Amino acid sequence: MRVRADAGGVAYFVSFQQAAKDFAELSQTKLTMPVLVIGGEKSLGEVLAQQMKLVAPNVSVVVLKDTGHWVMEERPKETMDALVKFL
């Protein structure tokens, strides 16, 4: 049998339907611990916060201005400041 080089990548997308079912089931049990969401303004930071608020009642949100996906690389000081403050 011949396996395509990108078979692992394709399998990730094939698993979306099952992952959606799993997440829907898991989200019925809310997280009881405080949760910190750190996201970039240019990369769904606010969307991530809203998603987390669906599964946790105690969510702290930090959306870093002018920041994309790689918050630690783009804003290391601000990211660490948020972590230290949260802890």
Side-chain angles (χ1 to χ4, degrees):
M1 179 170 106
R2 185 174 177 180
V3 177
R4 293 177 29 194
D6 66 345
V10 172
Y12 173 76
F13 293 102
V14 169
S15 71
F16 274 10
Q17 287 184 338
Q18 184 60 49
K21 291 176 187 174
D22 293 343
F23 290 149
E25 182 180 333
L26 291 169
S27 71
Q28 298 305 306
T29 302
K30 304 300 182 199
L31 299 174
T32 59
M33 74 290 274
V35 176
L36 172 63
V37 175
I38 303 175
E41 176 187 53
K42 296 180 179 180
S43 181
L44 303 174
E46 197 58 49
V47 172
L48 292 173
Q50 295 307 316
Q51 288 177 337
M52 185 52 67
K53 288 176 181 180
L54 295 173
V55 296
N58 187 3
V59 180
S60 299
V61 177
V62 176
V63 178
L64 299 175
K65 186 176 166 75
D66 296 322
T67 305
H69 183 74
W70 303 104
V71 295
M72 194 60 179
E73 288 183 7
E74 295 177 49
R75 298 280 189 262
K77 181 183 181 326
E78 293 87 343
T79 302
M80 288 304 299
D81 288 348
L83 287 168
V84 169
K85 182 180 177 182
F86 179 75
L87 296 174

